[in-house]
Amino acid sequence: MSKSARPNLLFRNLNAKVASIPMILTAMVVFVGGTVWTVLYSFTNSKLLPRLNFVGLDQYYRLWAAPRWLISIENLLIYGAISLVFSLVIGFLLAALLDQKIRFEDTFRTIFLYPFALSFIVTGLVWQWLLNPDFGIQHVVRDLGWTSFSFDPLYNSSIVIYGISIAALWQGTGLIMCLMLAGLRGIDEDIWKAARVDGIPMWKTYLFIVIPMMRPVFITTLVIIASGIVKVYDLVVAQTSGGPGIASEVPAKYVYDYMFFAQNLGQGFAASTMMLLSVVIVIVPWAYLELGRRK
């Protein structure tokens, strides 16, 4: 075939390229454009309305000098560590148990996954009631005779973030379990048979054979959990509204309050830029390692 008769690569799959234009424009304008706009105005002293009056790094100096922001960062680190570790451990253990071909597997899987179908607002309100000392878990246990029992994490400023983490684990662990179960079902049955023939203990099979083979599943799960950690907001609002005092503040709530209640857009933009930076710090090394491994 002559060069003139060959179709131009630009017009190959033209229908698919035309159909993808709205998505490309949305990504460029909304995501990239919005990100650049936010970072740009974080260097201004914008208040109620955005204005290009640059003040350098003043907003960032004020941000990191604010006790409320420091508390929100500390809470995010605690919440993130708990969510990351316990979601993976509990989700994997539940998946490993369901993978044993137990009876009523579909029923148990539905029960574990059901909380994920609820919004964070509903989850927060449910657990706010359960953790209420007047008519929640503490009240029920005391009615059973243990009058000295105390369990009111949402009303204790030193452990309130742990009460929020309980609700988050209850809602999100089911999804992690399903992802892990899908990964376990993808393991070749011959591997299990070979491990049993060689007399390898079950826990060693999981630890040294199965888990390394599930590396892509773990990476996907980590990305999902990390994205939920950074943007946690509605669960905190539903349970504590940032209280007691500011003990359960998180960065997303700090951004929202400063942008819409305090009418300080510059400070809100600076805080949201720091949240974006935290995502970049997590994503860039992961992408580098993944691309480097494939090469």
Side-chain angles (χ1 to χ4, degrees):
M1 182 182 294
S2 62
K3 292 184 179 180
S4 60
R6 293 178 182 175
N8 194 328
L9 293 178
L10 180 63
F11 297 100
R12 184 177 296 177
N13 298 326
L14 184 60
N15 292 336
K17 292 178 180 178
V18 172
S20 65
I21 289 176
M23 181 191 67
I24 296 173
L25 291 178
T26 301
M28 293 300 295
V29 175
V30 177
F31 294 105
V32 179
T35 300
V36 173
W37 191 83
T38 299
V39 174
L40 177 65
Y41 278 89
S42 69
F43 297 101
T44 68
N45 62 350
S46 301
K47 296 297 184 182
L48 177 61
L49 296 174
R51 56 181 181 178
L52 283 174
N53 186 10
F54 292 100
V55 292
L57 297 174
D58 287 357
Q59 295 290 1
Y60 293 93
Y61 292 141
R62 291 179 54 202
L63 179 68
W64 287 101
R68 183 178 176 184
W69 173 254
L70 297 178
I71 290 174
S72 69
I73 293 296
E74 180 182 355
N75 286 335
L76 187 67
L77 293 175
I78 296 173
Y79 173 86
I82 293 174
S83 298
L84 197 63
V85 174
F86 284 94
S87 291
L88 286 175
V89 172
I90 297 174
F92 184 81
L93 290 177
L94 291 175
L97 292 174
L98 290 179
D99 193 45
Q100 305 305 312
K101 308 299 189 298
I102 63 174
R103 296 181 62 185
F104 308 111
E105 176 189 329
D106 293 341
T107 303
F108 285 115
R109 189 168 61 241
T110 302
I111 292 173
F112 291 138
L113 187 59
Y114 175 75
F116 186 73
L118 303 176
S119 69
F120 268 124
I121 294 295
V122 175
T123 300
L125 293 176
V126 168
W127 278 94
Q128 183 191 54
W129 180 82
L130 288 174
L131 298 178
N132 191 300
D134 295 328
F135 44 81
I137 296 174
Q138 176 178 297
H139 177 73
V140 172
V141 174
R142 288 186 176 183
D143 284 346
L144 294 176
W146 288 278
T147 56
S148 61
F149 178 78
S150 179
F151 187 65
D152 55 346
L154 298 185
Y155 298 86
N156 187 335
S157 60
S158 60
I159 60 173
V160 62
I161 194 63
Y162 299 100
I164 295 172
S165 300
I166 292 173
L169 290 174
W170 179 79
Q171 190 198 44
T173 304
L175 175 64
I176 306 305
M177 178 206 68
C178 288
L179 294 174
M180 295 296 176
L181 184 60
L184 289 173
R185 293 288 164 84
I187 302 296
D188 194 339
E189 188 66 26
D190 292 338
I191 295 176
W192 297 103
K193 294 179 180 178
R196 286 193 292 267
V197 170
D198 292 339
I200 302 176
M202 183 65 71
W203 67 271
K204 285 189 176 181
T205 304
Y206 276 108
L207 189 61
F208 297 107
I209 300 175
V210 174
I211 290 179
M213 294 181 66
M214 292 177 58
R215 185 173 181 271
V217 178
F218 276 95
I219 291 175
T220 301
T221 304
L222 287 173
V223 172
I224 293 174
I225 296 175
S227 64
I229 291 172
V230 174
K231 68 180 183 180
V232 60
Y233 167 78
D234 36 10
L235 187 63
V236 174
V237 172
Q239 285 191 274
T240 64
S241 295
I246 57 173
S248 59
E249 283 288 330
V250 289
K253 187 175 183 299
Y254 184 95
V255 172
Y256 185 87
D257 288 348
Y258 267 85
M259 292 183 67
F260 296 100
F261 290 107
Q263 298 179 355
N264 191 338
L265 292 180
Q267 184 70 183
F269 290 149
S272 59
T273 302
M274 296 308 302
M275 292 178 62
L276 174 64
L277 183 61
S278 65
V279 174
V280 172
I281 291 174
V282 173
I283 295 297
V284 169
W286 165 76
Y288 177 78
L289 291 175
E290 280 297 296
L291 293 176
R293 184 180 65 87
R294 291 176 184 175
K295 288 181 180 179

